[in-house]
Amino acid sequence: MIEGAPRHNQMTTILGFDDYSNGKENKKRQSLIRVWKRLSSLQRSVICFVLLLGGISALYIVNSVRQGRTGRWTQDGPRELADFLDSKERQKMEQEKREYIQKMKEKHAQQQVMEIVKKNKENTKRKKGPPSGNRGAKLGQGADMDQIPDEKERQLNLPPKSAGDDLVVDQASDGTYDYFDPQRQYSEKQKAIQDAFKFAWKGYKQHAWGHDEYHPISKSHSEWFGVGLTIVDSIDTAIIMGLKDEYLEAREWVDKSLTFDKNKDVNLFEITIRALGGLLSAYHLTKDEVFKTKARDLGNRLLPCFKSPSKVPFSDVNLRTGNAHPPRWGPDSSTSEVTTIQLEFRDLSRVTKDTRYEHAIDVVSEHVHSLPKTDGLVPIFINANTGSFRNSATITFGARGDSYYEYLLKQWIQTGKKKDYLKKDYMAAVGGIKAHLLRESEPNKLLYIGELLGGRSFSPKMDHLVCFMPGTLALGYQNGLPQDHMEIAIKLTRTCYEMYNKMPTKLSPEIVYFNQAPGSSDDLIVKPLDAHNLLRPETVESLFYMYRFTRDKKYREWGWQIFLAFMKYTKIDGAGFSSINNVKSPSNPGYKDKLESFFLAETLKYLFLLFSDDPKLIPLDKFVFNSEAHPLPIYTE
Ligand code: DMJ
């Protein structure tokens, strides 16, 4: 504004009448101002409104001409949202935007897989040539793959091998790795994970030593089977982490104090995956006979379970009397329980040269194979007397169903890929997932595996337990199964991570429901009774596999975020770690006063391995992890 010029009201300024240049122009403007002043306020408002409307229309036209069609999406990507669209049009546009982002994500996932395949192919080619060392033939799938020309490899859809697992090694089971080598190097993150293990171990040792379960708030303990379960479940974690003091304490307790001569009913599945698996794995990693002797004793005490009319094992057995029976709460065994003992019993037979254990579990696997299924999917209950599935039972990859599928694949791998029916059943089950259980949530299209209630009706519910499945699918792909298994694995891993990331504590609830309704604002629904976190391992287990096979750093970042959340919300000063009641309440997560043994056996072990750069540490062409993260050897002979 020119200095000394009269001030005008705001409206004259808006209308652009504040230019006081001399002459004709000036006179014309002054007469316009006089006219404007003579108008009533209603007339002035109408004029203002008309001018405003005209301005907006002009903007719209200019924008349309520039973009072709306002706010639409093109092959090349999104354009800016036009603010003045009506709500219907905006909804449509947002839907298009979601579809576009999803398409891009899928494209990205596809590219990622292709890159992995390419990279691994290059690695395979580079490593071809005669193996070094007298017993240095490539073991596992490696030996076969090197014979197969590329074209045939493509036709057969054989797996690429990740650099870390394509090793020239001396023997099938470990024995050569010096876990307690003082020269072993650890990253800062691995040291933090070791510290978490040592911290929990110290609390357990102080307040619950020799007992099954530790309660870190009350600093007390309780028994489940009365076999020092936390110790036997954790020995191999101490070994893998190179923690010699903790290992020696555990070994001494096993040697001097562990006895299975207990007048106690135990659950066949739980004691097998935790105690039998733990002892066998400790044996393989150390070759210390004490673990083998204890494992054999336990195996003998569990064998009476298989004396059922159908040979499908009873769920429980008394360790001293050998009295086996169905669960106290119902007539049926859980399907996952009778099919998740095979890796351990087979390994026990191979280690002891006593075929009884392997024979017992082979009969079960073959029987379950012969039963009718829904596209490879099984109901979660089976009767040990009749040997039949309960037809109306739910189908799920969560509780009571999960590890049936896991052990189909892992048994096939454990036995050198020779038991074809296991692979077929696994492939059929993945087909069943695709046909019946795989859906995407709204609004972010998170892929998830739902359930069939009563074997029929779809429910968008997913247990955290299901998060083992991305890792298993990736393992299958790595062992030659189709590429779309890996594509599903990549998407499911993200979903499982989001189950942590979307919670205020950054810890996953036990169960989530996925939103189906278009226009929903949150993908996840968590019911109050499902909001607890038991320190479960499944997501970090999958992150471990995904990182091993892809070397994509985001899996490490996600794992680290989860570890930090455990440290923040579940660590109890001076005592250990506790499960919590509510992952949605950072200010009051509420302690359950329980340290599950699988936190030490699995969660911390998989986290530690996720951050390992040592390709010889539990290579996945030599070991297969049981359902409780105990590595057992792959038998190729
Ligand atoms: C573990 O005992 C095993 O991983 C089992 O197969 C499933 N549940 C727990 C961990 O969540």
Side-chain angles (χ1 to χ4, degrees), residues 269-270 273-274 340 402-403 406 465 536-538 541 598 602 627-628:
F269 157 76
E270 293 287 2
I273 62 166
R274 298 187 198 219
T340 311
D402 49 5
S403 43
E406 177 187 359
L465 287 168
R536 285 197 191 278
E538 290 77 17
E541 170 184 350
F598 50 67
E602 298 193 69
S627 198
E628 187 79 0

Side-chain angles (χ1 to χ4, degrees), residues 469-488:
M469 200 53 198
T472 300
L473 285 165
L475 181 65
Y477 171 65
Q478 184 73 6
N479 280 279
L481 303 188
Q483 184 173 306
D484 68 336
H485 290 206
M486 187 63 176
E487 289 162 10
I488 296 170

Side-chain angles (χ1 to χ4, degrees), residues 60-206:
Y60 177 82
I61 290 161
V62 169
N63 200 34
S64 298
V65 169
R66 197 158 44 89
Q67 295 193 354
R69 171 87 171 86
T70 312
R72 284 283 174 256
W73 294 74
T74 71
Q75 286 291 65
D76 304 318
R79 288 182 177 151
E80 283 180 0
L81 267 176
D83 293 335
F84 39 83
L85 291 181
D86 68 25
S87 72
K88 228 173 160 187
E89 198 163 10
R90 189 170 300 162
Q91 260 180 24
K92 201 173 163 200
M93 209 165 82
E94 274 164 9
Q95 175 65 20
E96 285 173 358
K97 183 176 167 186
R98 280 196 293 273
E99 280 167 15
Y100 175 80
I101 290 170
Q102 183 57 22
K103 224 167 91 190
M104 286 297 119
K105 276 186 189 163
E106 276 164 17
K107 210 169 144 193
H108 179 69
Q110 183 93 10
Q111 274 167 358
Q112 243 179 316
V113 173
M114 295 317 291
E115 272 164 28
I116 298 160
V117 173
K118 207 175 134 206
K119 216 161 61 201
N120 289 323
K121 276 235 167 80
E122 281 165 14
N123 276 330
T124 309
K125 275 192 193 132
R126 239 179 282 131
K127 292 192 179 192
K128 274 185 182 169
S132 60
N134 53 346
R135 293 165 68 205
K138 287 184 179 178
L139 296 165
Q141 83 262 30
D144 298 332
M145 282 186 64
D146 280 353
Q147 318 295 322
I148 298 170
D150 277 355
E151 186 46 36
K152 195 153 179 213
E153 197 171 287
R154 260 197 299 281
Q155 283 167 17
L156 294 174
N157 214 0
L158 282 168
K161 293 176 287 178
S162 75
D165 297 321
D166 187 21
L167 291 170
V168 177
V169 289
D170 288 330
Q171 54 188 64
S173 66
D174 200 31
T176 55
Y177 195 97
D178 186 357
Y179 295 94
F180 304 118
D181 180 356
Q183 304 303 317
R184 263 183 86 183
Q185 300 286 316
Y186 304 106
S187 68
E188 288 309 308
K189 291 194 168 91
Q190 282 184 299
K191 284 182 198 162
I193 297 161
Q194 284 172 323
D195 285 347
F197 181 91
K198 287 198 271 188
F199 175 75
W201 184 264
K202 194 173 161 202
Y204 168 77
K205 199 176 142 193
Q206 213 173 335

Side-chain angles (χ1 to χ4, degrees), residues 327-425:
R328 299 276 176 227
W329 44 264
D332 300 330
S333 300
S334 300
T335 303
S336 67
E337 293 193 355
V338 304
T339 51
T340 311
I341 48 180
Q342 279 71 4
L343 290 180
E344 300 81 356
F345 274 69
R346 179 174 296 109
D347 190 65
L348 184 59
S349 273
R350 306 283 173 110
V351 159
T352 60
K353 313 263 186 290
D354 179 342
T355 54
R356 288 176 304 150
Y357 318 106
E358 183 164 4
H359 175 70
I361 52 91
D362 270 345
V363 169
V364 183
S365 285
E366 282 157 23
H367 173 77
V368 174
H369 167 68
S370 74
L371 294 176
K373 305 181 182 68
T374 307
D375 291 335
L377 306 175
V378 294
I380 57 174
F381 290 113
I382 185 166
N383 191 289
N385 287 310
T386 64
S388 304
F389 285 132
R390 193 195 294 174
N391 276 331
S392 58
T394 288
I395 287 173
T396 175
F397 276 66
R400 304 188 191 286
D402 49 5
S403 43
Y404 157 72
Y405 306 100
E406 177 187 359
Y407 271 34
L408 288 176
L409 178 76
K410 288 186 172 176
Q411 283 195 77
W412 178 65
I413 293 171
Q414 181 195 32
T415 52
K417 302 180 184 171
K418 294 193 187 76
K419 289 182 182 279
D420 215 38
Y421 78 90
L422 292 165
K423 177 187 170 188
K424 276 192 187 142
D425 284 357

